[in-house]
Amino acid sequence: MSGEVSAALFTAAAYGALLVACAVPLSGYLVNVMEGRQARARRIIGPVERGAFRLLRVNPDDSMGWRRYLVCVVAFTGVSIAGLFLLLVAQGALPANPEGFGGLPADTALNMAVSFATNTDWQAVAGESHLSYLSQAAGLAVQNFLSPAVGIAVAFALMRGLWSAGDGRLGNFFADVIRVILCVLLPLSLVLSIALASQGVPQTFQGYETVQLLEPVAVDEAGNVVAADDPAAVEEVTEAVVPLGPQASQVAIKQLGTNGGGFNGANSASALENPTPLANLLECLAILLLPFTLILSFGRMVADRRQGRALLACVLILLAIGTAVLVGAEFRATPQLSQDGAVYTGSLSQAAGNMEGKECRIGTAGSAIWTAFTTAAANGSTNASLEGLTPLGTLVPLVFMGLGEVVGGGAGTGLAALVGFAVLTVFIASLMVGRTPEYLGKKIGPTEMRAAVVMVTAPALVILLAAAGLCLAPAGAVPAGEGGPAGFTEVLYAAVSAGANNGSALAGLDADVPLVNIVLAAAMAAGRLIPVACALALAGSLARREPVAAGPGSLSTASPLFVFLLLMIIVLVGALTLLPALALGPVAEQLGALA
C-alpha cells in the first residue's frame, strides 16, 4: 500500500500548498477590509457597505471596549437562535415549502437553532426530508453567513487588542460583521456557488423530481434496500425522488464559513452537493481557506508577518501528522476487513483500503483528506460516512476537535484559540528562564493568564461534561448504535463535535431524541460563548497595556523554538484532558481489532 499512501499524501501536500498560495493575497485584502482601508474590490462594494451602515445606524468609528463588544456578541447570537428556532417550529405554516414539511419538534428546533447560530451546524435530522426551502435558504444559509462573521469579528477584536497602544478599544462589532459579510463572505460564496452550479449542483426553487430507476431495487421487512430478486424482498421500488432546491449557494457558504451543515443528509458525499472531482477539490480547499487566511492576517495586523508564519507552521505540522495517520489507517484497514491479508484491498488503479462508508467515485484518499481537513477546521461537512472509519482513523478527528480548534479551527475562533495557546506558551517559557512574560510587546499578567487558561481548557471541560451527561443518562435515553467501546466512541464523538463547534457525527448514534438534543445544544452554546468571552477579555486587558520594547533576553515568538514549544503545550493540554476518554473509546477499539 506504500504507493497508494504516498500518492494520497502528495495530494494532501498539494492541497496545503494551494491553500497557502490563496491565503497569502487574501489575508492582505481581509486586513484592508476590516480596518476600513481602500482595496480594489471595495470600490464596488464600498457604497453598499456605507448604505448598510446608514440603514442599521452603525457608526464604524464608534469603537467598543471588550465588555460592550461581548454584550453585542451574546445578544446577536441570542437573537439569531430565537429567530431560527421560530422559523423551524413554524415552517409548516410558512411559504416556500413545496414538499409540505411540518414544523420541527421544539427540542429538535432548539438544537438546530443553537447549532447554526454557534457555527457548529450539527444536524439531528436530514435537511432534504425535514426542512422547507424557506428554512434552508432564509434560516440555515443566513446563519451560515452570520455565525462565521461573528467569529471573524472576534478574531480581529483580539488582534486589535494586541496591536493597540493602550486605549482599550477593539473596534465596532456591527461594523466588523457587516464588512465580513459584504466584502468577504458574499463575494467568495458567489464565485464558489457559480463554480459549483456549473458542475451540476442544483440551484433552484423547483419542487423535488421523481425519476425512474435504471435498475429496480427492493426493500425487505425492516426497510433495508436489497436486490430486486432477493428472497427477503417484500416490495419492489422502481422510482426515486431527487431533492432539488437552492443547494449550490448553501454548499458554498457552508464550506467557506467553516459551517458544515448539509442540504442533504448525505452531506458532501451526495452526488447533488458534490458531483465531480473539480467540485470535490474546490469544496475541500474552501474548508481551510479562511482559517489559513486569518492566521496570516494576524501577522499583518501586528505588523510582523513572521508571527503569522510561525502560527501557520504549527498548524501545518499538526495537520500533516494527523492527515498522515488518518490516510495510513484507512489504506491499511483492519485485520478484520482484510481478513489478515487474505482479501485484496485494491491498488492505484481502483478503490483501495477501507472502502466501508465511502463513495467509490471519491475513494479512500479523497475521503481521508477531506475528513482530516473538515475536523481540523471545525467545519463538520463530510464526503464519507465517518462511522465507517477504522478505530485509528476515528481517533484523528477526535484529537483534532478535542485540541480546541487550533488546527485551523472555526472562522475566527480557531485563530483566537491559537493565540490563547501562544500566550500560555509565552508565560510558561518565560518563567522557565526567569523573565517577565511578554507577547508582541505586551506584558502578560495574572488577568491575561486567567483569560488564556480558561479559553484553552473550556472546550475540553465542556466536552467531558457533555459526554458524562450522555453516558450517565438512563438506559435507552441515548440510543447508541453499538455497545462496548464502539458505542462509547459514538457518544464521545457527539460530545466532542458539539463542544468543539464542529458538527460532524458518527452515524450510529440516534441524535434526534430530547435528551441528546438538549445536552448537545447546551454544549454547543458553552463551547462557543465561553472561549469567545475569554478571547474578548484577553483582548480588552491587552488593549489597555502600553507596548514595551523587547529586551535582549526576550523570547522570540517567531522562531522554530517557539513553534516547537507551542506544539508541545497544545499536545500536552489535549492529552491531559481527553486521553482517558479516548482510551475507553477508539484506542480500546483499535486494540480489540488487533487482538
Side-chain angles (χ1 to χ4, degrees), residues 53-348:
F53 288 158
R54 287 194 296 269
L55 179 64
L56 299 176
R57 299 182 180 180
V58 172
N59 180 8
D61 297 324
D62 179 22
S63 191
M64 301 176 177
W66 77 267
R67 289 182 178 85
R68 185 180 168 200
Y69 206 103
L70 176 59
V71 168
C72 292
V73 170
V74 174
F76 191 87
T77 302
V79 171
S80 297
I81 292 172
L84 183 54
F85 173 80
L86 293 175
L87 176 60
L88 294 175
V89 169
Q91 72 172 3
L94 297 175
N97 187 9
E99 301 306 310
F101 296 130
L104 296 183
D107 61 290
T108 305
L110 175 64
N111 179 281
M112 189 168 288
V114 173
S115 173
F116 278 79
T118 59
N119 201 224
T120 309
D121 297 69
W122 169 277
Q123 286 182 263
V125 295
E128 77 271 33
S129 58
H130 290 82
L131 300 177
S132 68
Y133 288 172
L134 183 66
S135 294
Q136 294 271 25
L140 307 191
V142 168
Q143 289 304 319
N144 282 349
F145 282 94
L146 296 181
S147 60
V150 171
I152 294 172
V154 169
F156 271 88
L158 178 57
M159 287 187 264
R160 293 182 189 118
L162 279 163
W163 178 240
S164 68
D167 61 2
R169 299 296 178 177
L170 304 179
N172 186 285
F173 168 74
F174 296 104
D176 288 342
V177 169
I178 290 171
R179 283 169 173 162
V180 171
I181 293 174
L182 292 181
C183 301
V184 181
L185 296 178
L186 274 175
L188 289 176
S189 298
L190 179 61
V191 172
L192 184 55
S193 297
I194 293 172
L196 294 178
S198 73
Q199 296 300 298
V201 180
Q203 183 65 25
T204 178
F205 281 96
Q206 178 183 341
Y208 291 5
E209 291 281 355
T210 300
V211 298
Q212 295 292 321
L213 295 178
L214 295 176
E215 183 177 342
V217 296
V219 294
D220 58 18
E221 291 184 353
N224 299 314
V225 177
V226 296
D229 57 354
D230 193 302
V234 295
E235 181 182 355
E236 187 178 59
V237 179
T238 60
E239 296 180 339
V241 176
V242 179
L244 299 177
Q247 299 195 28
S249 56
Q250 186 165 331
V251 171
I253 187 57
K254 90 168 184 180
Q255 308 297 17
L256 286 166
T258 62
N259 294 290
F263 193 100
N264 301 286
N267 210 284
S268 294
S270 166
L272 294 170
E273 290 194 20
N274 186 13
T276 66
L278 178 58
N280 190 78
L281 169 65
L282 292 175
E283 291 183 39
C284 193
L285 292 177
I287 289 172
L288 276 168
L289 178 60
L290 281 180
F292 279 19
T293 298
L294 282 160
I295 294 173
L296 293 177
S297 297
F298 176 80
R300 293 177 183 269
M301 280 290 290
V302 300
D304 185 356
R305 296 190 189 184
R306 297 175 304 159
Q307 304 296 330
R309 290 195 289 266
L311 296 182
L312 185 60
C314 177
V315 168
L316 288 173
I317 291 170
L318 290 171
L319 182 62
I321 294 172
T323 302
V325 172
L326 182 53
V327 167
E330 292 307 298
F331 272 103
R332 193 176 301 110
T334 64
Q336 288 78 7
L337 287 169
S338 65
Q339 294 187 17
D340 291 324
V343 174
Y344 178 66
T345 53
S347 65
L348 280 173

